Amino acid sequence: MPLPARRLEGFTESVIRKMTRVAKQHGAINLAQGFPDFDPPEALVEALARAIRGPHHQYSITWGAQNFREALARKITRFTGLPIDPERHLVATCGSTEAMMVAMMTACNPGDKVIVFSPFYENYAADAILCGAEPIYVPLHPPDFRFDPEELEKAFAQKPKALVLCNPSNPSGKVFTREELLHIAALAEKHDAFVLSDEVYEHIVYAPHTHIPFATLPGMFERTLTCGSLSKTYAITGWRLGYVAAHEKLIESARKVHDFLTVGAAAPLQEAAVAALGFGDDYYAGLTREYTAKRDLFQAALRSTSLPFTEPEGAYYVLLDISSLGFKDDTEAALKLAENGGVAGVPGSSFFREPVQRYVRFHFAKKEETLRAGADALAARIDLLRKR
Ligand code: GLN
């Protein structure tokens, strides 16, 4: 049998998705792969029921259905102030997972280097490798996950074609400050690099932190490919609706990549999503309120275990420090926590380039009852493991 391509040896299967399978196998509460167990807003579900009865069963325009792009452009302009033109600045994609792949293939040639902050969402390295590019890593140092300007400067000295920014950040929960973003912007400009900005958690930010879209920084619209998603904002991760927003020159290229990768996102789902893109400010205020309550509930439960953990400024992940439980590594710890109807998290090492094995990542995008059950089961399991 011929061998599969060598590029696939550069990365493993997604540990996040693997832990969802482990959770199923062990009947564990799944706080591993970040997706909600609550329903999307009723108005959105109704819009989907209408859309499915409508004339939307064939391909939409490759780069996104007309009314979807129009609604999306209005929504982005409303929140960022950027004058996004639905005809020139957008490509609708199959989730932000495709958006990042499209952004990477639009920006990078084979052999190019791409800066990735570590810890990082595991897709970025895989995307770079699939493009024939090489990820180079800059650590974000716990506990506040700041980068060392000298380390970042050194990485830029290697002449990368792009930097991947995840803001708010998965898995650290960091929300980059204006000062940090301006620092990245200055280096991107000086070294003529693209910024591939994954902003899927833009609306899940905890006071007093605020989200600054990278493309709104002075001079940055021309070199930023923003990857956005409807998944987290409207609790529709299974709809696979995302987008790339950027300067028209970049979108011209991004459309080509997207067209040959997937042709288009699902037409009836784009049609239905127009309803969500028109939601008023109360929806977003409610989202913040609900996620803040979930975070508070989950953090209170974690405090009772007296294990240290990272307190997120945005997104919905917590890195729980399990080093004191005495396991060989975080993978063993995650498996032990999940076994026999426990709680599934993701071994932290799958997010770090450095040999960091002290964390298991849990997410709290769940109904209150699931979170309570998860937190109780986690506390009980930790107690048991301490006594072993
Ligand atoms: N972003 C989510 C996570 O980090 C889900 C990723 C995925 O599986 N597409 O868990």
Side-chain angles (χ1 to χ4, degrees):
M1 195 199 283
L3 290 175
R6 272 193 305 277
R7 75 171 78 84
L8 298 171
E9 291 159 16
F11 56 93
T12 60
E13 74 157 320
S14 157
V15 182
I16 299 175
R17 266 86 80 191
K18 178 179 148 193
M19 286 312 294
T20 285
R21 293 199 298 279
V22 169
K24 283 208 175 108
Q25 193 186 334
H26 289 285
I29 296 172
N30 186 2
L31 303 185
Q33 190 180 11
F35 62 87
D37 65 348
F38 45 88
D39 287 332
E42 188 52 32
L44 185 49
V45 177
E46 275 164 18
L48 179 59
R50 279 195 304 277
I52 223 77
R53 290 270 161 224
H56 309 290
H57 297 287
Q58 312 308 327
Y59 303 123
S60 62
I61 297 173
T62 294
W63 51 84
Q66 187 68 29
N67 52 351
F68 178 75
R69 271 181 295 110
E70 283 171 7
L72 183 58
R74 275 194 301 274
K75 188 252 172 195
I76 299 174
T77 298
R78 176 173 145 214
F79 282 99
T80 65
L82 292 168
I84 297 294
D85 179 346
E87 305 306 326
R88 294 183 297 142
H89 297 141
L90 291 174
V91 193
T93 57
C94 302
S96 162
T97 299
E98 190 207 335
M100 183 50 77
M101 193 71 216
V102 166
M104 197 85 81
M105 294 197 87
T106 301
C108 296
N109 289 306
D112 281 342
K113 294 195 163 99
V114 179
I115 297 179
V116 175
F117 286 115
S118 166
F120 60 100
Y121 174 50
E122 50 184 16
N123 281 40
Y124 307 144
D127 290 347
I129 293 166
L130 286 171
C131 285
E134 182 198 343
I136 56 174
Y137 300 89
V138 173
L140 294 174
H141 299 281
D144 52 2
F145 295 98
R146 291 183 76 88
F147 57 81
D148 173 343
E150 254 173 54
E151 286 176 326
L152 188 59
E153 181 88 54
K154 266 197 203 136
F156 269 105
Q158 296 185 50
K159 305 200 181 320
K161 191 71 187 299
L163 171 144
V164 178
L165 179 70
C166 181
N167 184 32
S169 201
N170 175 8
S172 68
K174 178 184 179 62
V175 173
F176 286 77
T177 63
R178 181 171 293 276
E179 168 229 336
E180 290 171 311
L181 294 174
L182 286 173
H183 196 102
I184 296 169
L187 286 170
E189 183 132 18
K190 178 171 161 199
H191 297 276
D192 198 23
F194 286 114
V195 173
L196 316 180
S197 190
D198 177 349
E199 303 186 11
V200 304
Y201 302 101
E202 63 185 325
H203 294 293
I204 305 177
V205 178
Y206 309 106
H209 304 279
T210 51
H211 173 65
I212 301 168
F214 197 80
T216 62
L217 298 174
M220 286 303 109
F221 187 67
E222 286 69 22
R223 58 178 69 251
T224 303
L225 290 118
T226 302
C227 300
S229 171
L230 281 68
S231 293
K232 319 286 181 185
T233 305
Y234 307 114
I236 48 171
T237 61
W239 289 29
R240 315 307 303 124
L241 287 180
Y243 60 90
V244 180
H247 186 280
E248 61 182 303
K249 287 258 165 51
L250 298 173
I251 289 299
E252 229 175 75
S253 305
R255 281 179 178 178
K256 283 197 279 188
V257 180
H258 162 74
D259 189 5
F260 287 109
L261 272 182
T262 63
V263 178
L269 298 179
Q270 292 186 62
E271 179 62 29
V274 170
L277 293 166
F279 286 163
D281 292 345
D282 52 333
Y283 177 76
Y284 298 92
L287 190 71
T288 307
R289 220 175 24 249
E290 279 160 30
Y291 271 106
T292 304
K294 290 180 197 306
R295 183 196 63 161
D296 292 349
L297 188 161
F298 196 57
Q299 291 196 153
L302 289 183
R303 267 187 210 107
S304 74
T305 70
S306 49
L307 293 184
F309 59 88
T310 57
E311 299 200 14
E313 302 166 349
Y316 45 54
Y317 304 99
V318 168
L319 293 169
L320 181 68
D321 187 335
I322 44 76
S323 57
S324 66
L325 295 180
F327 287 107
K328 175 170 77 117
D329 55 29
D330 56 342
T331 304
E332 188 186 44
L335 288 175
K336 284 285 173 214
L337 290 168
E339 264 175 11
N340 308 321
V343 183
V346 184
S349 55
S350 63
F351 303 99
F352 282 87
R353 174 62 173 176
E354 307 77 45
V356 175
Q357 309 220 318
R358 56 190 315 121
Y359 300 117
V360 175
R361 190 198 77 170
F362 295 98
H363 82 94
F364 51 84
K366 291 284 183 251
K367 288 181 207 157
E368 194 179 315
E369 67 216 64
T370 315
L371 274 184
R372 282 193 198 284
D376 287 350
L378 189 59
R381 192 54 58 103
I382 288 170
D383 223 32
L384 208 72
L385 293 171
R386 270 201 182 113
K387 289 188 189 125
R388 83 191 185 283

